Amino acid sequence: ADGELVQYHYGLKDLVTILFYIFIAIVLHAVVQEYILDKINRRLHLSKVKHSKFNESGQLVAFHLTSVIWCLYVVVTEGYISNPRSLWENYPHVYLPYQVKFFYLCQLAYWLHALPELYFQKVRKEEIPRQLRCISLYLLHIAGAYLLNLTRLGLILLLLQYLAEFFFHMARLVYFTDENNEKLFNVWAVVFVVTKLFTLTLYILVIGFGLPRVESQALDPERGNFFSFLFNNILFRMSVLLLVCLFQASVMWRFIHFQLRRWREYWNEQSSRKRAAAGTKQQTKLLKRDSGYHENGVVKAENGTSPRTKKLKSP
């Protein structure tokens, strides 16, 4: 009422809050699985492998869509998009608005709840290492941005990442319902490239130009200043940018390799279908010849002679 703005900091009590929302995430996961995904699976009659992938993509589509809408609302209302300088101005961003703190706690709770879900969902042993690697990377980046006071930059990066992931898993769901429909994969490919370009641009803008201009350049863990004094060193700054560019290049290389393999499989499938169709036509022609065919109005036999018996001339 008096116009005071309440802000928050991280602490040990966050662990209790995260634990509470882990249970909430498990309940919501079960609701989506039972009332939406299981009903669709009964109609599609998918194999065990496709059934597992369908459930994974279905859960992630619901999560990514919710997170994209929520994250977009936060960055717009907080003015991070309209004022990009706010991503590094007044660093360190120790005190957070309520919606920013709550968003990060819910994100950590969701990815921590994914660990017991590997057991509840009876994920195949072959899929566990891949999913553990994905969960660990998300937890590392989200917790790192939260604890190192880079929450504003982390919000924009999460928005871009979740947007690309939403289209990918949505394309997989459509593909499982109709294997001939791969149009959404093309949409995902475009969105993936655009988001990666924005991500790289954002890294260069914040690391190369933003953080080096922060007023407080001294290491001060008590105030949450962990980075600005490092980025003041041009050698360290260029090394970090080089590592970021190499990482993004490796991601793009894997993406290009995946797309080339998918297009190669598509063209091989199309050529095999054409060969099969040509073989069917050739076999049909041979069958017609074997059973006799018409030529110039005269029925021909197998050896090309007329089926009529020849009349013997009298001597």
Side-chain angles (χ1 to χ4, degrees):
D2 55 1
E4 292 183 356
L5 179 63
V6 179
Q7 292 185 325
Y8 300 85
H9 188 40
Y10 57 78
L12 292 177
K13 293 182 180 179
D14 289 346
L15 299 177
V16 181
T17 308
I18 291 173
L19 180 62
F20 173 77
Y21 283 103
I22 286 175
F23 295 123
I24 298 297
I26 292 174
V27 173
L28 293 177
H29 189 114
V31 169
V32 172
Q33 184 67 43
E34 182 175 356
Y35 291 99
I36 299 177
L37 298 179
D38 286 346
K39 291 183 178 180
I40 298 175
N41 276 320
R42 294 190 194 101
R43 296 182 181 181
L44 296 178
H45 304 289
L46 300 174
S47 63
K48 289 185 178 180
V49 176
K50 290 184 178 180
H51 180 83
S52 176
K53 292 182 179 180
F54 184 87
N55 288 338
E56 178 190 357
S57 293
Q59 293 288 347
L60 289 175
V61 160
F63 168 71
H64 288 317
L65 179 61
T66 305
S67 297
V68 165
I69 296 174
W70 189 3
C71 188
L72 184 62
Y73 173 79
V74 171
V75 297
V76 169
T77 54
E78 294 295 332
Y80 300 153
I81 292 181
S82 59
N83 182 21
R85 295 174 61 89
S86 62
L87 298 179
W88 62 80
E89 281 184 342
N90 300 322
Y91 177 84
H93 308 132
V94 178
Y95 299 105
L96 308 175
Y98 170 77
Q99 59 179 353
V100 176
K101 180 180 177 66
F102 186 56
F103 177 81
Y104 270 93
L105 294 182
C106 289
Q107 292 294 313
L108 291 171
Y110 178 85
W111 290 110
L112 285 172
H113 111 281
L115 295 173
E117 286 295 342
L118 296 177
Y119 173 76
F120 296 147
Q121 294 293 319
K122 298 179 180 179
V123 178
R124 296 184 306 146
K125 292 182 179 180
E126 298 82 4
E127 292 290 324
I128 289 178
R130 179 185 62 84
Q131 295 201 23
L132 282 176
R133 185 167 59 251
C134 178
I135 294 169
S136 301
L137 287 173
Y138 272 112
L139 286 174
L140 178 65
H141 285 80
I142 295 172
Y146 183 65
L147 296 176
L148 299 177
N149 302 315
L150 291 169
T151 50
R152 300 181 183 181
L153 176 62
L155 282 173
I156 305 297
L157 294 177
L158 278 178
L159 177 62
L160 296 172
Q161 175 68 18
Y162 285 163
L163 186 63
E165 289 292 314
F166 167 75
F167 279 100
F168 172 73
H169 290 288
M170 194 67 197
R172 279 219 303 185
L173 289 180
V174 174
Y175 175 76
F176 289 140
T177 57
D178 182 11
E179 293 188 356
N180 295 322
N181 191 349
E182 297 186 359
K183 294 181 180 179
L184 267 181
F185 278 110
N186 298 328
V187 176
W188 164 71
V190 175
V191 174
F192 181 86
V193 173
V194 172
T195 53
K196 289 305 173 186
L197 289 176
F198 271 103
T199 300
L200 184 59
T201 304
L202 194 61
Y203 272 122
I204 295 174
L205 182 65
V206 175
I207 296 175
F209 300 98
L211 289 177
R213 298 182 180 181
V214 174
E215 294 180 359
S216 177
Q217 295 290 344
L219 176 63
D220 191 358
E222 294 184 358
R223 293 186 58 243
N225 193 340
F226 299 101
F227 287 110
S228 58
F229 80 101
L230 291 174
F231 291 110
N232 193 31
N233 187 333
I234 187 171
L235 182 60
F236 179 82
R237 185 164 69 246
M238 296 304 296
S239 301
V240 172
L241 287 176
L242 180 61
L243 289 175
V244 169
C245 292
L246 289 176
F247 175 76
Q248 294 297 325
S250 66
V251 172
M252 288 300 299
W253 170 251
R254 289 196 297 270
F255 170 76
I256 293 171
H257 185 267
F258 170 77
Q259 290 296 326
L260 290 176
R261 185 181 62 186
R262 188 169 71 90
W263 289 338
R264 192 183 305 115
E265 292 175 354
Y266 173 78
W267 288 114
N268 289 337
E269 184 180 356
Q270 292 296 321
S271 60
S272 62
R273 286 181 180 179
K274 290 180 180 179
R275 286 195 298 268
T280 304
K281 290 181 180 179
Q282 187 73 15
Q283 189 176 6
T284 305
K285 290 181 180 179
L286 292 175
L287 289 174
K288 286 182 178 180
R289 289 184 179 179
D290 291 341
S291 60
Y293 64 99
H294 291 79
E295 184 178 341
N296 296 327
V298 179
V299 178
K300 299 287 185 179
E302 294 179 0
N303 56 3
T305 60
S306 175
R308 296 179 182 176
T309 58
K310 293 182 179 180
K311 293 182 179 181
L312 297 175
K313 294 182 181 180
S314 56

